[in-house]
Structure formats: structure tokens, C-alpha cells
């Protein structure tokens, strides 16, 4: 009985000590919500009227522009570039443009850039000589670069040099495509300041040239070698394209 009486006393104390703010806060919150709702209902017609006015103004501007264009004698002519068909657009693919260099001119420019880089940065002199300056032609330089990129402990660079050389001889269009890729990269990529940058350091350019070699091998019936090159291309450049 005494324990029950003590529990009853505790409950009474807790009940008496309970704050009374919750009983008065509810009406205040209800009043504030009602006030906001009243403001929203009052502002809704004004906002709706402003939106309608803006839409009407926009329609008026459109009609005015359409009328001015209809009455204008000016005819918009497409921009034409000398030597390029009027219906050509860059998104349709690569085509030679008047400012593009020929094969020998590009190779001469590449050698000039490599020589200047070797003089400015002697640390790279050996690398630039073995990759560019030590070769007599564009295709031999590309051959050396790609062979060393694809070489592995079980696939020697000397073997790859012979394979790539045979592919270039049997299908010269692979070299022409490499030149076109380099010219397009130089034209369109803001990060490409020199031809040597694309040739030596851009793995996208290098991966595409390696894929063309693998595709040539696949077409010649050397499918296992083409698939082996595909695997090495994926490992070296993180670009995986089936050789077919």
C-alpha cells in the first residue's frame, strides 16, 4: 500500500510539473498556418495575372519577329569555304580542307616539332630521337611507336614492327587514315597544340591506328593474331574494339 501510494505521488508530481506550453502552442500554430493560407490565397490571383501577362508579352514578341522576318528582303546564305562543298558539315566526317598539309609536309612539321622539343627539354631527346627523329618516314615512326606500345613479355616489339609494316604495305589507306586522324585532332582538339602531341601521347589516336591493323589482319584471315592484338590494345589503351 505504501509503495502504491508513493507511485501515485510520483505520477501526481509528474503531472503537475508537466509544462503547459504545448496546450497554448497548438492554437498559435493553427493561427499562423491560417494566416499563411490567407496570404497565399490572396497572392494567387496576382501571380496568375503576372504569368498571363508575361505569356501575352512573349506571344506579342514572337508575332512581331515573325512579321519582321516575313517582310525582310535579307536572305540568309550558308557560310562557304573555298574548296569545300557547300553541303559539307564537319559532323559528316573528315574531308581535306585547303589549310591541311600533305603527307610530306606533315612529316616535316613533326620532325621540326620533335627537334625543337628535344632542344628545349634534353631529358626527352633520346625518346624523341628513337620515336621520330631516327626514322625516315611517317609510317615508320608510327610503326615504331605502336609496336612499342603493344609489346609485351611474350609479344616482342620486333615481331610487331614486321606485322605492322606488312599491314601498311598491303593496305596503304591505313597510313592515309592515320594522317587524317592526326589532322582532325589538330583542328578540333583545343588540347592539341602540336602534331607530335597527338602522335606520341594521345592514346585515343594510337588505339584507333592499332585497331585498323587488327581489322586488316582479321580481314586477311589471321583472326587469332587479330584477337591477340585486340586484347593488348584493351590492356594498353583501355579501348576494346572487336577487330571485325
Amino acid at each position: 500500500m505504501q509503495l502504491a501510494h508513493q507511485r501515485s505521488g510520483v505520477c501526481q508530481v509528474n503531472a503537475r510539473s508537466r509544462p503547459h506550453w504545448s496546450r497554448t502552442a497548438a492554437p498559435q500554430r493553427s493561427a499562423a498556418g491560417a494566416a499563411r493560407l490567407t496570404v497565399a490565397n490572396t497572392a494567387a490571383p496576382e501571380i496568375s495575372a503576372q504569368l498571363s501577362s508575361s505569356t501575352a508579352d512573349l506571344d506579342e514578341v514572337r508575332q512581331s519577329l515573325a512579321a519582321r522576318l516575313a517582310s525582310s528582303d535579307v536572305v540568309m546564305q550558308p557560310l562557304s569555304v573555298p574548296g569545300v562543298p557547300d553541303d559539307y558539315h564537319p559532323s559528316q566526317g573528315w574531308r581535306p580542307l585547303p589549310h591541311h598539309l600533305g603527307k610530306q609536309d606533315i612529316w616535316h612539321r613533326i620532325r621540326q616539332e620533335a627537334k625543337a622539343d628535344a632542344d628545349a627539354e634534353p631529358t626527352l631527346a633520346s625518346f624523341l630521337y628513337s620515336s621520330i627523329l631516327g626514322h625516315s618516314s611517317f609510317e615508320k615512326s608510327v610503326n615504331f611507336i605502336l609496336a612499342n606500345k603493344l609489346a609485351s613479355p611474350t609479344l616482342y616489339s620486333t615481331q610487331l614492327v614486321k606485322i605492322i609494316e606488312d599491314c601498311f604495305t598491303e593496305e596503304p589507306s591505313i597510313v592515309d587514315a592515320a594522317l587524317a586522324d592526326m589532322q582532325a585532332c589538330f583542328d578540333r582538339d583545343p588540347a592539341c597544340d602540336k602534331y607530335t602531341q597527338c602522335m606520341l601521347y594521345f592514346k585515343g589516336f594510337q588505339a584507333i591506328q592499332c585497331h585498323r591493323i587488327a581489322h586488316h589482319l582479321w580481314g586477311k584471315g589471321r583472326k587469332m593474331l587479330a584477337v591477340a592484338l585486340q586484347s593488348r590494345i584493351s590492356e594498353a589503351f583501355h579501348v576494346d574494339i572487336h577487330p571485325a
Side-chain angles (χ1 to χ4, degrees):
M1 292 295 293
Q2 185 176 2
L3 180 60
H5 179 72
Q6 291 176 352
R7 288 180 178 177
S8 177
V10 170
C11 293
Q12 291 176 2
V13 170
N14 290 339
R16 285 194 298 270
S17 61
R18 186 175 301 165
H20 297 283
W21 60 267
S22 60
R23 300 178 182 177
T24 59
Q28 293 176 359
R29 289 197 298 270
S30 299
R36 286 195 297 270
L37 183 60
T38 302
V39 172
N41 292 335
T42 304
E46 297 179 2
I47 296 174
S48 178
Q50 292 177 359
L51 291 176
S52 300
S53 177
S54 299
T55 304
D57 293 342
L58 182 60
D59 292 338
E60 183 178 353
V61 171
R62 288 173 177 171
Q63 293 174 2
S64 175
L65 289 175
R68 292 173 60 184
L69 289 175
S71 61
S72 176
D73 296 333
V74 178
V75 179
M76 299 299 293
Q77 296 292 342
L79 180 63
S80 61
V81 179
V84 180
D86 292 337
D87 59 346
Y88 167 69
H89 189 273
S91 63
Q92 297 172 350
W94 186 90
R95 292 186 186 180
L97 296 176
H99 68 278
H100 288 169
L101 302 178
K103 178 180 178 181
Q104 293 302 321
D105 293 331
I106 288 182
W107 175 237
H108 181 66
R109 177 76 67 82
I110 289 171
R111 290 182 59 86
Q112 285 182 329
E113 293 175 354
K115 181 65 168 61
D117 291 340
D119 293 340
E121 189 58 69
T123 305
L124 297 176
S126 176
F127 165 69
L128 293 170
Y129 180 84
S130 61
S131 299
I132 295 176
L133 298 175
H135 302 282
S136 59
S137 64
F138 172 79
E139 49 265 44
K140 289 184 179 180
S141 178
V142 171
N143 186 348
F144 178 86
I145 294 169
L146 299 182
N148 281 275
K149 288 287 185 179
L150 296 179
S152 71
T154 55
L155 188 60
Y156 302 137
S157 61
T158 52
Q159 295 174 311
L160 289 168
V161 165
K162 184 63 171 66
I163 293 170
I164 296 172
E165 181 182 0
D166 292 341
C167 291
F168 286 171
T169 302
E170 295 169 2
E171 190 174 346
S173 61
I174 297 178
V175 179
D176 296 335
L179 290 167
D181 290 340
M182 183 177 296
Q183 188 68 70
C185 184
F186 184 79
D187 282 350
R188 303 173 189 175
D189 191 346
C192 184
D193 298 329
K194 302 178 181 179
Y195 290 105
T196 51
Q197 283 182 315
C198 177
M199 189 172 178
L200 294 172
Y201 309 121
F202 286 10
K203 66 178 183 179
F205 169 81
Q206 296 169 349
I208 290 296
Q209 312 320 313
C210 292
H211 166 70
R212 290 196 176 103
I213 294 165
H215 177 70
H216 174 81
L217 294 171
W218 182 277
K220 289 291 184 178
R222 306 175 69 179
K223 295 186 176 181
M224 292 306 300
L225 180 56
V227 172
L229 285 183
Q230 175 198 359
S231 177
R232 281 297 302 144
I233 293 168
S234 177
E235 292 174 357
F237 304 112
H238 304 281
V239 176
D240 195 353
I241 308 174
H242 193 277

